[in-house]
Amino acid sequence: TSKIAADGDKASFFIDLAGNYELCLSVQDSAQMMSCNTDCVTIQAVPRETIHVQLVWNTPADSITGDSDGSDLDLHFLTLPTGTWGDTGSPQLNNGTDVYFQNRAPIWQASQIQEEPSLDRDDKDGEGPENVNLDKPEACRWYAIGVHYYNDYGFGPSQATVRIYVNGKMYFEKAAIS
């Protein structure tokens, strides 16, 4: 899902999923001649947050990826035992117990510290990703992750994959059909 954006002689590369990426550059001159050499660089994208949760999905009936339509799955992240699925809390207090598209960055008061989880990417039109991050979790606190198939928009079943990273290392990956 990552794309290279170019503006004249400057380019940028947005990485929305952890993993390894190889970028290669070939140069063409004003006479349309390509260079004999291609230079490549490998980039390793590692989440910097303490807890990083990714949701990606594939919908077999949606044959065109990267367009503006597709199924919509939602990632949820909450604490146990006090969190409640779909809880947005009080908007004035920013205290909902479920992190998802309707409550993107609540502030949780844990017993020792204040936690600030966030949904950093909400994809509504295809294959994801959706990412939830928590940089300073309280020690020994339990969390729950859920995936809600919000709407298939006529595309039918999807295969969702959830990955959990702790301190930049993937500890869990699970795929399931919704």
Side-chain angles (χ1 to χ4, degrees):
T1 63
S2 300
K3 296 183 181 175
I4 297 175
D7 182 18
D9 60 350
K10 295 181 181 180
S12 62
F13 180 58
F14 174 72
I15 299 173
D16 53 6
L17 285 173
N20 294 321
Y21 297 84
E22 182 178 60
L23 299 175
C24 297
L25 174 68
S26 297
V27 178
Q28 182 176 353
D29 66 16
S30 60
Q32 309 306 316
M33 297 294 294
M34 294 297 294
S35 63
C36 295
N37 298 321
T38 299
D39 284 326
C40 296
V41 62
T42 299
I43 298 170
Q44 184 179 25
V46 178
R48 70 178 189 279
E49 296 81 10
T50 304
I51 297 174
H52 175 80
V53 182
Q54 292 179 349
L55 166 65
V56 294
W57 62 95
N58 175 41
T59 307
D62 184 5
S63 61
I64 302 171
T65 59
D67 61 355
S68 61
D69 63 353
S71 58
D72 184 7
L73 279 69
D74 290 320
L75 181 61
H76 290 253
F77 180 79
L78 53 85
T79 63
L80 294 176
T82 59
T84 303
W85 301 111
D87 177 27
T88 58
S90 168
Q92 299 83 0
L93 299 176
N94 198 28
N95 64 348
T97 60
D98 185 1
V99 181
Y100 70 115
F101 76 95
Q102 289 187 322
N103 193 37
R104 292 174 172 254
I107 298 172
W108 294 340
Q109 188 58 51
S111 63
Q112 301 295 318
I113 61 170
Q114 182 173 292
E115 294 179 319
E116 297 181 22
S118 61
L119 174 69
D120 296 331
R121 190 165 195 291
D122 175 32
D123 184 55
K124 301 178 222 174
D125 60 1
E127 58 276 346
E130 293 205 359
N131 297 321
V132 169
N133 294 297
L134 177 57
D135 194 34
K136 296 177 183 168
E138 183 171 77
C140 300
R141 193 161 186 191
W142 288 81
Y143 302 93
I145 296 164
V147 176
H148 175 236
Y149 203 149
Y150 184 76
N151 198 324
D152 72 357
Y153 294 110
F155 289 101
S158 294
Q159 181 175 9
T161 302
V162 172
R163 296 181 188 103
I164 302 172
Y165 291 80
V166 178
N167 293 320
K169 181 180 176 186
M170 185 168 54
Y171 275 88
F172 178 86
E173 180 176 37
K174 175 83 174 179
I177 296 189
S178 337

